[in-house]
Amino acid sequence: MSDTRPPSVDSLAGSLTQSGLPHPLLVDAAREAIAAGDPSSALRRAEARARTQLRPVVNATGVLLHTNLGRAPVAHSQLAEAQNLELSLATGKRGSRQATVGPLLAKACQAEAAIVVNNCAAAVLLALAALASGRAVSVSRGELVEIGGGFRVPDVLAQSGAELVEVGTTNRTRLADFSGAAAKHDIAVALQVHQSNYRITGFTEAVSVSQLSTLDAPVVVDIGSGLLDAACPWLDGPPPTWLSGEPAAKQTLQAGAALVIFSGDKLLGGPQAGIIAGKAELVKRCESHPLARALRPGGLVLGSLQQTVLSYLKRDGQAIPFWKMASADPQDIQRRANSIAAKLADGVEVVETKAVPGGGTLPSITIPSFGLRLPGDHLEALRSGEPPIIGRIEDGCTYLDLRSVDPGNDQLVLSALLRLSTDGSQADPAGPTTP
Ligand SMILES: *Cc1c(COP(=O)(O)O)cnc(C)c1O
């Protein structure tokens, strides 16, 4: 009878070291396997657990800023060294962590000053708390938006301690609506929010930043996506046509905004961060508000963002992974796709695709691209390889769009597709089993 006794948790855990997990997690896997009456499942459980850890993946979805894949890809390495995070090397005295990257960002969008917080939602919260707590903020009814992931303008506004004054209607808001609100309420800020992930079309009217700035209250604009300059001087050619109409920090300030607020990891192409840029006096008020401490970024983020902003100032868009992907010539992408397909068996086709900027920016905008199409649903097989390759499904076919893949990773895509073709058991080539 002794050979039917389950193994001890410890000895089973000790046999799972190939999964690379630390011992306490192996013990969990062993315990679960034994409790399920299936000790032989322990390694599979440990491996599944290991795959919940953060790791690099290949984004072949064609969504350049994929929120589930960390939005903008950024390269950053930092040695285990001390950093002059809050020390002025000029005076030897304590400085501010906002004195390093903020001024670079201000330079890049021609603002008087800028500071960095954890994300754009935090930046909006801080700006409204610092400038409008206990007073009123006017917002067009067409801009009381939800951006996804729970960022709802009325809710953030309430958290800031400011009172929302809704102005105009969903589709049409005029300057007179704002001046009417100013006559009745103590308006501390006129807030404009970029609609980001949706559009109102048809019988519409909106108030421009330059019109708004003729009123008394400072105009704060949440442009969301973080395009620094509509002229895109960091690119070799003219700005891509798909960007047209996207608000940019520099031009929004030039139009009269007192502050612009934007994300670090959308069109800016940097790490997750939120930026407040504009009039020095207002930026200072944000910086000295007690919430600023709670919302401040760490040295890792500032180091990474500094690298991104220096690339902008050097006009080197190719050094920013997002702009490198976004500006790639479709013909070059097609050549890459051809060279992968040439090494694969028939059945994998090179096809024209439509990539999208993603990240809640530029809805209904597509960027011409090329990719590989395979009959059948191979998403899971590709996802379970190392590194995981993330594709998309359309009409029962698997698509790998190469615009969102760094050319340096083409070899990984090829190897994964070769593995697929040698392991026919991984997927049903006739098509997906579920519609
Ligand atoms: C994306 C977005 C946000 C939220 O940005 P996070 O950096 O994700 O916090 C806020 N406002 C607008 C207009 C956005 O587009």
Side-chain angles (χ1 to χ4, degrees):
M1 297 305 278
S2 68
D3 55 345
T4 62
R5 266 213 321 263
S8 77
V9 168
D10 248 13
S11 69
L12 186 54
S15 72
L16 304 175
T17 51
Q18 71 203 82
S19 65
L21 285 180
H23 189 69
L25 299 181
L26 295 180
V27 168
D28 286 348
R31 209 169 259 144
E32 284 162 19
I34 290 170
D38 184 9
S40 67
S41 69
L43 183 59
R44 185 174 47 73
R45 289 170 193 271
E47 281 169 349
R49 180 71 173 81
R51 291 183 71 78
T52 64
Q53 292 171 6
L54 285 172
R55 67 186 61 225
V57 303
V58 175
N59 172 10
T61 61
V63 181
L64 306 189
L65 301 166
H66 199 302
T67 301
N68 299 355
L69 303 178
R71 291 196 186 150
V74 274
H76 183 61
S77 61
Q78 183 164 306
L79 299 173
E81 308 275 15
Q83 195 187 32
N84 58 330
L85 185 62
E86 293 194 346
L87 177 77
S88 160
L89 294 177
T91 64
K93 298 216 167 68
R94 175 154 189 186
S96 161
R97 70 179 61 202
Q98 297 293 359
T100 53
V101 190
L104 295 177
L105 278 158
K107 188 88 197 162
C109 64
Q110 292 183 17
E112 290 174 15
I115 57 169
V116 182
V117 293
N118 266 322
N119 51 36
C120 186
V124 174
L125 176 67
L126 177 59
L128 294 177
L131 306 183
S133 183
R135 299 181 61 195
V137 173
S138 53
V139 191
S140 162
R141 287 195 168 91
E143 296 170 4
L144 293 173
V145 296
E146 170 170 326
I147 307 282
F151 179 87
R152 297 181 131 190
V153 170
D155 296 349
V156 174
L157 225 148
Q159 290 296 321
S160 75
E163 180 209 344
L164 169 63
V165 173
E166 297 183 18
V167 166
T169 64
T170 306
N171 57 329
R172 307 197 89 192
T173 300
R174 290 184 271 280
L175 187 61
D177 297 320
F178 278 96
S179 41
K184 277 196 254 148
H185 301 271
D186 171 29
I187 304 288
V189 161
L191 177 67
Q192 201 179 73
V193 182
H194 183 30
Q195 294 167 342
S196 297
N197 48 8
Y198 87 111
R199 291 286 179 272
I200 295 180
T201 58
F203 187 56
T204 64
E205 185 172 351
V207 184
S208 69
V209 170
S210 51
Q211 284 179 300
L212 256 191
S213 64
T214 60
L215 302 179
D216 289 338
V219 178
V220 173
V221 185
D222 173 10
I223 61 170
S225 49
L227 179 64
L228 275 185
D229 181 342
C232 299
W234 55 89
L235 297 180
D236 285 338
T241 48
W242 50 264
L243 264 184
S244 78
E246 181 65 16
K250 178 178 155 186
Q251 283 74 19
T252 304
L253 289 170
Q254 276 172 353
L259 291 181
V260 283
I261 294 174
F262 50 95
S263 284
D265 54 352
K266 294 184 182 171
L267 295 181
L268 192 69
Q272 182 192 300
I275 291 110
I276 303 174
K279 295 246 180 297
E281 185 254 328
L282 300 185
V283 171
K284 189 83 216 154
R285 274 164 67 188
C286 295
E287 189 180 345
S288 28
H289 189 274
L291 261 182
R293 168 68 190 243
L295 302 176
R296 71 185 190 177
L300 276 171
V301 165
L302 288 171
S304 169
L305 189 58
Q306 173 173 278
Q307 230 166 284
T308 307
V309 185
L310 287 174
S311 299
Y312 276 107
L313 292 171
K314 292 176 192 159
R315 302 191 161 194
D316 184 4
Q318 295 305 302
I320 302 167
F322 167 73
W323 285 106
K324 188 178 162 200
M325 309 192 276
S327 64
D329 183 342
Q331 249 112 62
D332 288 336
I333 303 176
Q334 185 180 24
R335 270 191 286 277
R336 290 166 50 205
N338 283 336
S339 111
I340 294 175
K343 301 185 183 82
L344 291 165
D346 293 349
V348 178
E349 279 176 284
V350 173
V351 289
E352 240 183 297
T353 54
K354 292 186 168 85
V356 295
T361 65
L362 298 152
S364 68
I365 293 295
T366 59
I367 312 176
S369 181
F370 282 87
L372 300 158
R373 179 172 66 195
L374 298 72
D377 182 347
H378 304 274
L379 289 190
E380 191 185 346
L382 289 165
R383 210 171 55 235
S384 50
E386 195 49 61
I389 313 266
I390 315 297
R392 69 163 192 264
I393 277 290
E394 224 176 279
D395 299 329
C397 290
T398 302
Y399 283 77
L400 299 179
D401 191 314
L402 293 186
R403 184 177 284 283
S404 55
V405 176
D406 188 272
N409 286 339
D410 285 358
Q411 188 58 43
L412 296 173
V413 172
L414 172 63
S415 312
L417 291 174
L418 285 170
R419 270 200 309 274
L420 262 193
S421 58
T422 55
D423 186 3
S425 65
Q426 295 249 30
D428 171 11
T433 47
T434 50

